[in-house]
Amino acid sequence: MAAITIEALTFSYPGAAEPTLDALSLEIAAGEAHALLGGSGAGKTTLLNLLSGLLQPTGGTLRLGGRSLAGVAPGARRTAQVFQFPVLYDRLSLLDNLTMPLRARGVRRRPRNERGRAIATQLEFEALGMADLERMRPGVLSLYQKQLLAIGRALATPRLELLLLDEPLTAVQPSAKWRLRQTLKAVQAELGMTMVYVTHDQTEALTFADRVSVMRDGVILQSAPPRDLYERPAHTYVGHFIGSPGLNLIDAELVGETLVREDWRCPLPAALAQRCTPGPVQLGFRPEWAQVITGAAAERAADAALLPAAVAGATVQGRDASGDYGLLALSVPEPVRVQTALSRPLPQRALLHLTQLVLFQDDIQVGLFSGGES
Amino acid sequence: MNKPYSNRAWLGLLPVVLIVGFSAVVPLMTVVNYSVQDILDMQTRSFVGFDWYRSILRDPELHGALWRQLQFSATVLAIELPLGILIAKGLTPANRATPALLILLATPLLVPWNVVGTVWQVYARPDIGLLGYAVNQLGITYNYTASGTAAWITLILMDVWHWTSLVALLAFAGLTAIPRPAYQAAALDGLGAWQTFRFVELPRLRGVLIIAVLLRLMDSLMIYTEPFVLTGGGPGNSTTLLSQYLATLAVGQFDLGPAAAFSVIYFLFILLLSWLFYSAVVSRDE
């Protein structure tokens, strides 16, 4: 069990004008499953490689369980890493693959094979057709089995405190992803090591991790439990990146304590208004945070608190207990998407009652508020 | 689908049959023909069966040549293979000097074989050769025209100079093809330099090394020009290898019957050794 402390970590690739990681700080608790989420080029893998020691930081400090990792070789960090595509010793048996971290550290054959077999049992190799550990070689395995073998080998690292996974499921077909994720969670619950998991797939991050860090351009925009990322994004990019579709964003002007748009105005709570500077702001709302009011109700309720919208189209999104639900594409005039029941006929115009709003100024979240009672 | 059948299609094979016939089968059969007959001129000939084979296989000179040949091939392989890998490991792909070094390495491979022999013939001379003179100046008596051991060492050195580059270039190509994550995984598994070589690099070099061994094995078994120019097989028989002995029989003494029988054996011998090596390697894969 070891916590990770990252302080002002900076890394630049030789010859690069901009640092890949820029004064990044992060705390990961012991035994936590932490996901690094972001688009390509965000610096996720770089951060992982710095943790494992494959790269050396240009500045800042890294600590694992209180020990500084400066100058500690990758093999001596009590850290293991699983790569995007399984890396195995092709000419060795499954058992020799599993036990390589022990063999490299001079553990004798008998104890290391015992450990290898225990891991194989734990990861249920037998049920997956990988029973003949001593004679099978990785060449005959499927991609999923290979990745599982790579994970097994990582787990064999003596005194493992930190397991790093670099998009381990990218190469695996979707049906197997879920299974591998379950296995990983079970193993983590049992061994209690800290896990850092890199992915660009939000579903993967949100279902796997206790906390998720959303990264962009070498900076962590927000580290929070999945639910917080969804409900209280700290940055417009987080709101946009998390959720499918992402957070709707519309522009407004803060005048005094009132949000003003051309055809809409909404009073802000005084405490919140004080935290903002008057001027342009952005309002974010999730597709399910808006109620669509149409027809006669819309005519009646030409109320300032309701956002007028033109209907641009609708798509079937899925089905739940109440039947099909769809996403209504609206123009306010910014394009927004709102969740709605599909059974209703599509009107030309609608009003949106926003039940919940996130207020951003210069892309940074300044507060949350509910858009009033309907 | 019905394939159209026409026996006239066999005619399409005719050019190939003719070319292969004239280039391979006819010369080979000529040798076989000579090896079972005693031919004095076009009219005077007699069938001798396997007599030539019997006599040549009992020839102590041949036994000596064969033994030297095996020692020679084993020695050059044992030196060139590890040395080539070592040179390849020393080359870093990212280094700016590497392309120049690769060209330098490839140079011996481009030198015509008799030129290689001539170069070493001069280079190793104790009176005017840079190498020979320098070694003698160090107080070591070295004269490859007088001492069999010195001649043997010179021959090995020459072959190593000529052919190590081939192994090095092949191994370098193999090493550059190893993906970085393989090394990264090894580092995280805690593998040291030797273990990384053994478990990461060597298995991935297998393919190119098999080719390197096969090429060097076949080629070293057939070596003729360089030792012929360097020592002519001497002093005594100390550097007479199989092909050298064959040439002595066929061209020097004009013993065409025994020479033909020897050629057939020689050909089958190289084929057998290469096949043995290859099947031993391939069978391990199954």
Side-chain angles (χ1 to χ4, degrees):
Chain A
M1 296 284 267
I4 304 169
T5 312
I6 301 168
E7 271 168 19
L9 190 69
T10 301
F11 179 80
S12 307
Y13 282 99
E18 305 255 313
T20 310
L21 294 183
D22 198 1
L24 183 144
S25 295
L26 178 66
E27 294 265 353
I28 300 173
E32 180 178 324
H34 195 94
L36 300 174
L37 181 63
S40 49
K44 311 180 298 278
T45 300
T46 304
L47 177 54
L48 210 64
N49 289 345
L50 285 164
L51 283 170
S52 63
L54 295 175
L55 293 174
Q56 296 301 319
T58 356
T61 55
L62 274 175
R63 309 178 81 80
L64 176 62
R67 296 174 291 127
S68 169
L69 289 179
V72 181
R77 293 192 168 197
R78 303 180 194 176
T79 296
Q81 187 169 358
V82 177
F83 297 89
Q84 193 167 357
F85 295 95
V87 184
L88 299 164
Y89 301 96
D90 291 339
R91 302 203 55 88
L92 299 181
S93 71
L94 299 191
L95 191 62
D96 284 344
N97 264 283
L98 276 176
T99 56
M100 186 52 91
L102 299 163
R103 183 175 188 172
R105 291 168 178 90
V107 177
R108 288 183 180 285
R109 180 178 291 272
R110 191 197 284 264
R112 79 170 185 244
N113 281 355
E114 261 169 38
R115 178 84 183 105
R117 287 208 178 78
I119 290 171
T121 312
Q122 191 175 26
L123 295 182
E124 296 172 343
F125 274 17
E126 198 152 344
L128 290 163
M130 297 156 74
D132 196 353
L133 291 178
E134 264 151 272
R135 274 187 300 170
M136 253 179 144
R137 286 196 187 159
V140 301
L141 301 181
S142 72
L143 208 49
Y144 170 67
Q145 291 171 318
K146 281 183 182 171
Q147 196 59 290
L148 201 64
L149 184 62
I151 290 169
R153 190 184 69 212
L155 294 177
T157 307
R159 291 186 295 175
L160 181 65
E161 292 179 343
L162 173 61
L163 180 60
L164 305 166
L165 302 130
D166 188 358
E167 310 210 21
L169 304 180
T170 311
V172 171
Q173 50 176 304
S175 63
K177 279 187 183 185
W178 186 80
R179 210 164 33 162
L180 194 56
R181 213 151 48 211
Q182 293 311 108
T183 310
L184 277 174
K185 282 188 124 168
V187 167
Q188 202 216 3
E190 198 170 324
L191 299 179
M193 73 258 174
T194 310
M195 255 191 204
V196 178
Y197 187 106
V198 162
T199 181
H200 61 254
D201 179 344
Q202 53 159 318
T203 319
E204 235 172 80
L206 300 180
T207 54
F208 172 82
D210 301 323
R211 286 202 310 150
V212 179
S213 288
V214 180
M215 292 183 72
R216 192 186 65 174
D217 298 338
V219 174
I220 291 180
L221 296 174
Q222 185 173 13
S223 291
R227 198 177 173 79
D228 282 5
L229 288 182
Y230 190 80
E231 291 184 348
R232 40 185 75 224
H235 192 279
T236 50
Y237 180 80
V238 177
H240 172 78
F241 199 85
I242 304 283
S244 175
L247 192 73
N248 293 306
L249 281 173
I250 57 174
D251 294 319
E253 191 89 11
L254 182 65
V255 180
E257 291 189 0
T258 313
L259 292 170
V260 179
R261 280 167 63 86
E262 200 182 327
D263 46 5
W264 181 77
R265 49 187 55 235
C266 174
L268 268 189
L272 180 55
Q274 273 162 20
R275 272 186 280 160
C276 313
T277 44
V281 292
Q282 288 163 295
L283 299 170
F285 60 95
R286 294 284 174 197
E288 67 275 22
W289 294 352
Q291 288 168 4
V292 183
I293 301 168
T294 55
E299 298 298 324
R300 254 195 335 270
D303 190 320
L306 298 173
L307 187 64
V311 177
T315 48
V316 180
Q317 204 62 29
R319 185 186 291 273
D320 61 17
S322 60
D324 283 339
Y325 70 87
L327 283 173
L328 217 51
L330 303 166
S331 158
V332 294
E334 297 98 321
V336 296
R337 283 188 279 186
V338 174
Q339 196 170 314
T340 179
L342 260 193
S343 47
R344 289 195 280 171
L346 281 181
Q348 282 296 306
R349 294 193 60 78
L351 290 171
L352 293 180
H353 174 232
L354 306 173
T355 55
Q356 218 176 322
L357 280 164
V358 190
L359 185 65
F360 297 96
Q361 201 153 34
D362 294 328
D363 287 331
I364 310 291
Q365 190 226 87
V366 281
L368 305 140
F369 68 106
S370 44
E373 306 303 315
S374 63
Chain B
M1 245 200 9
N2 278 327
K3 282 185 188 165
Y5 279 93
S6 166
N7 280 330
R8 275 185 302 175
W10 289 105
L11 286 174
L13 288 176
L14 205 58
V16 159
V17 170
L18 284 176
I19 290 168
V20 171
F22 275 104
S23 69
V25 178
V26 169
L28 200 65
M29 286 320 292
T30 310
V31 171
V32 172
N33 194 25
Y34 270 88
S35 74
V36 291
Q37 298 187 68
D38 194 357
I39 298 175
L40 298 172
D41 56 46
M42 282 313 236
Q43 279 72 44
T44 327
R45 63 177 78 190
S46 59
F47 184 76
V48 296
F50 288 109
D51 280 0
W52 296 133
Y53 287 90
R54 250 176 242 120
S55 72
I56 201 76
L57 284 173
R58 288 184 192 129
D59 181 358
E61 297 242 3
L62 174 80
H63 297 164
L66 176 65
W67 177 234
R68 278 189 294 276
Q69 180 69 64
L70 290 174
Q71 279 181 307
F72 174 76
S73 291
T75 310
V76 297
L77 269 174
I79 296 173
E80 286 168 16
L81 219 56
L83 189 62
I85 295 170
L86 205 66
I87 292 171
K89 287 268 296 166
L91 293 169
T92 33
N95 198 319
R96 272 192 301 173
T98 300
L101 284 172
L102 288 176
I103 292 170
L104 208 63
L105 269 177
T107 311
L109 302 175
L110 304 176
V111 180
W113 295 355
N114 53 351
V115 176
V116 172
T118 313
V119 164
W120 278 81
Q121 215 263 351
V122 177
Y123 184 48
R125 277 174 73 123
D127 49 356
I128 55 165
L130 187 62
L131 175 72
Y133 184 74
V135 169
N136 279 295
Q137 285 301 301
L138 289 173
I140 303 161
T141 315
Y142 166 80
N143 184 353
Y144 72 89
T145 53
S147 148
T149 316
W152 183 257
I153 290 170
T154 313
L155 186 63
I156 300 283
L157 273 180
M158 179 177 67
D159 198 78
V160 167
W161 176 83
H162 195 180
W163 288 113
T164 303
S165 300
L166 178 75
V167 182
L169 291 176
L170 281 170
F172 179 70
L175 283 172
T176 48
I178 298 177
R180 255 166 63 90
Y183 287 107
Q184 296 180 327
L188 281 155
D189 285 343
L191 267 60
W194 167 249
Q195 284 175 316
T196 304
F197 175 70
R198 186 176 154 202
F199 294 121
V200 177
E201 294 180 325
L202 205 54
R204 287 182 168 83
L205 285 179
R206 215 179 116 80
V208 289
L209 290 184
I210 289 173
I211 292 173
V213 170
L214 264 180
L215 285 177
R216 285 311 302 131
L217 180 67
M218 292 189 298
D219 231 33
S220 68
L221 288 171
M222 295 189 284
I223 189 170
Y224 174 70
T225 316
E226 302 104 302
F228 175 72
V229 176
L230 182 72
T231 62
N237 280 335
S238 59
T239 54
T240 301
L241 302 176
L242 283 178
S243 63
Q244 178 75 56
Y245 182 56
L246 174 62
T248 312
L249 274 184
V251 186
Q253 305 169 7
F254 220 65
D255 285 336
L256 292 187
F262 182 22
S263 297
V264 172
I265 294 168
Y266 192 10
F267 168 65
L268 293 177
F269 173 67
I270 293 178
L271 206 63
L272 177 78
L273 271 191
S274 301
W275 178 77
L276 275 179
F277 168 74
Y278 190 74
S279 56
V281 164
V282 170
S283 71
R284 272 194 59 191
D285 282 348
E286 264 122 48

